[in-house]
Amino acid sequence: MTDPKVRIGLLLASAALLASPVVAAPNSEVVAIVGAMVFDGTGAAPRAATVIIENGRIRQVGAGVEAPGGAKVIDARGKALLPGFFDLHTHWTPAGNPATTPQIATAYVAAGVTTVNDFHEQPESYAPRRAWLSTLVAPHVNFAARISTPGGHGADWGDQSTTIWINTPEAARAAIAKLKPYEPDLIKAFTDGWRYGLAPDNTSMDEWTLRALTEAAHKEGLEVLTHTVTVDRGAIAARAGVDSLAHGLQDRELDPKALADIVTSKMAMAPTLAVYEPNKPGNPPLDRTDPKVAPRFVKFGYALHNVKTMYDAGVRVGLGTDAGMPGTLHGRSTLREMELLVEAGLTPSQALVAATSSSARIMHQDGDRGTIAVGQRADLVLIDGKPWDRIADVYKVSQVLIDGNLVYGTGAPTLPAANARTQLESAKIGNLVDDFERVDQRSSLDTLRLETPDGGMDRTLEISQVVPRDGGGHALSVSAKLSIKDDPYAGIAIPLTRGSVQGVDLRGYKGVRVDIRGDGAYALKLNGFGGSWAAPVSASQDWRAVDVPFSALKPVVMGKRAGTPWSADGLVQVELGATRDPGERIWMQIDNVRFY
């Protein structure tokens, strides 16, 4: 049998061959952009200049520069040339719009956004996602590792392999050490549990834990951006050494003491006004007089006021949107955020700087990108208009270059087939999912098992561990104390590929077989890109082998979404779990999970 690590590596390599990498390598061709008005991202006045690009980098910039012989010439007369835009706060989630990775990537490129931070992914998915992105025309994506508190925002739905829970300095340092092998690009710290006065507050991260987290992250060269939405928590983040606030401060106007703490710390901010805008573009306008709606306008007013107050005091303002959240579109929301920065009181030129060089400085990537200067990466956007005079012109994207490659607009090659797909081509896997014999606590498929308790502020407490099995070998033991809510749940999921990024094709099998013992009724689920499907399984004190044919699986209804018909293609996880009465304890042991 092929070693599991080798097998998964081959799967990822196959995925990477689905399309030729388009943006991964810089363009060795010499490119000359002539006739443009260049806004270099520093805030300097636009000027007419020619820009020469070679090997993906800007080689020359100037009014008297001539296009070298043999260069590919882009005629940019009448156009504005700017550095590619940043979005420091996005979520590439299946609940967003668009909802799938290639389409999200395309939306950003079409908007001239060439660097984004993705705050949504579990660390196990970084490597396969990076491999997938290399096959797409896509922006550069920085992956943020998520850290919150027990009961905190971001920990109220994610498993602890997606959002690590900490509440002490020791736990903070351990979290950074745990994340290091995954090579995250930055840290997202959920520090503020305020729920906008609309629901009971989540927990918040105390100052000494947050300080320990930032110190440990900085030692590894990682920036720390936060979820912070209140003035008091913003001041705590500043004193704790956070690099940049994510979200505007919305509970009240900034007081002089909090502002002084923020200014002194040199902490930056990306206010994500687009996600909080009450009247979102394309939606019916809300009634300001509705008592349920009026507080949203009040909080948004505080957010706008505090952005301008901080900017005027010298706080660096970058651009982030929280795109992927409801009503906040990928790509276009980045452009809308610039309009909202102008609404807050910045000039169009200042908003453009926020979207380019200031965001690059926040990420410590300003030595590589964010301005139009010799030696900088040639991530550029051409616009039909003068956005430094009229910020709405940012929507008039004409052409986009990434690493010196013309990837969008007039003269650009057709997007690769990979950008038109919604997911990677499904992989084929062997029948063994997990026999729980690996000493490194990973599955037989070299994937990280996930505990899947219910979500919410009161969450089921769950422990899973590999234990010796009577008669030899090992099994997985799952124990839980169920939360106090309707239909509390405890379960375990085994990803079929690393990070559940690539689906698998199970059409060569008839069902799932598992050895199980426990104390009553359970459910076996298969989760996939198209939905989830479940069948009941019963267990007693004695071990028994249970076969669950695919024909027995029924669609799982999630919220208001109806279940979808069964498909044996595009599956990502096998899950086993159960619900009991609120507050009860539950246990099960499983072994030899396989397809037959």
Side-chain angles (χ1 to χ4, degrees), residues 38-47 81-83 311 316 349-350 352-358 361 366 369-374 376:
V38 175
F39 183 91
D40 65 10
T42 67
R47 68 190 192 280
L81 180 66
L82 297 90
Y311 185 89
R316 185 174 303 282
S349 177
Q350 290 166 343
L352 294 171
V353 171
T356 55
S357 63
S358 285
R361 288 190 65 178
D366 51 307
R369 68 194 79 163
T371 57
I372 297 178
V374 173
Q376 288 271 289

Side-chain angles (χ1 to χ4, degrees), residues 81-171:
L81 180 66
L82 297 90
F85 303 131
F86 278 69
D87 197 323
L88 298 179
H89 192 138
T90 75
H91 293 263
W92 292 38
T93 163
N97 187 359
T100 45
T101 292
Q103 286 64 46
I104 295 171
T106 301
Y108 280 113
V109 171
V113 182
T114 57
T115 300
V116 304
N117 293 343
D118 181 1
F119 279 15
H120 198 76
E121 316 305 337
Q122 61 168 288
E124 277 282 303
S125 76
Y126 296 169
R129 285 188 179 279
R130 285 167 175 149
W132 190 3
L133 286 165
S134 75
T135 73
L136 304 173
V137 166
H140 305 286
V141 180
N142 299 314
F143 289 108
R146 302 160 52 93
I147 300 177
S148 187
T149 49
H153 185 53
D156 47 7
W157 64 266
D159 60 80
Q160 292 194 61
S161 296
T162 299
T163 305
I164 297 176
W165 306 354
I166 65 171
N167 56 9
T168 66
E170 292 80 7

Side-chain angles (χ1 to χ4, degrees), residues 506-519:
L506 299 179
R507 286 176 290 188
Y509 299 106
K510 297 180 179 179
V512 184
R513 179 173 296 141
V514 58
D515 296 351
I516 188 170
R517 62 188 295 258
D519 62 355

